[in-house]
Amino acid sequence: MKDNRLIESASKLGLDGLDQFPDTDAAKLLGVLRNLLVGFQRRDASMLADVYSADADWVNAFGSVKEGAAEIVDYLRGLFADANFNDGEVVAPPRSAIRRLCDDVAVVSTHLQVSGQGLVGGGSIALRDNHSLHVLRKRPDGRWEVVSEMYMDARTDWSYVGHS
């Protein structure tokens, strides 16, 4: 029987699909994803210390590539302290969906919109229509961790006529 408190907590975070997992996995996944989402929201890199694996790979929408939990969290600590990053305001709260690929792998896709994020040298981004993909793996000890994360912004220019 599903623990409805887990589903309600996930819903408050804007996360759908947690009901695909056994309660023990759902609770652990929810903890990791809560730290990830709330850590970004609060600009608190310390919440991310146990989110990423030692061999995680990470790419942001601007092409910054980081490897390993320590490097990722260190980069995010700097990003969270940056005035340009903090100038942005969330237009719509994040919406995430989790998919169970197998017993020990899950994928989370997240959509978020931010307006007014500052640019180096001045100006700002009118609207960042950001999508991210997070791949999580279950460790032998039962803990879940992010092993790969990629962020991208939807573009307003097109190179393919069939773009929808």
Side-chain angles (χ1 to χ4, degrees), residues 17 20-22 25-26 29 98-107 135-139 144:
Q20 302 169 60
F21 297 87
D25 284 334
L29 280 162
I98 190 167
R99 291 180 55 197
R100 180 180 178 180
L101 300 183
C102 60
D103 289 345
D104 58 355
V105 178
V107 177
V135 180
L136 292 95
R137 163 183 71 199
K138 185 178 180 180
R139 296 168 37 112
W144 287 83

Side-chain angles (χ1 to χ4, degrees), residues 13-17 33 36-37 94-100 106-112 130-136 148-151:
L13 285 175
L15 175 64
D16 295 320
L33 296 171
L36 178 64
L37 295 170
R95 293 295 309 159
S96 299
I98 190 167
R99 291 180 55 197
R100 180 180 178 180
V107 177
V108 177
S109 64
T110 300
H111 180 235
L112 168 72
N130 185 267
H131 298 266
S132 54
L133 190 64
H134 321 268
V135 180
L136 292 95
S148 187
E149 202 165 65
M150 180 176 280
Y151 294 84

Side-chain angles (χ1 to χ4, degrees), residues 44-64:
D44 184 354
S46 68
M47 293 183 72
L48 306 175
D50 293 326
V51 167
Y52 298 98
S53 68
D55 63 345
D57 58 84
W58 184 94
V59 180
N60 74 6
F62 299 94
S64 294

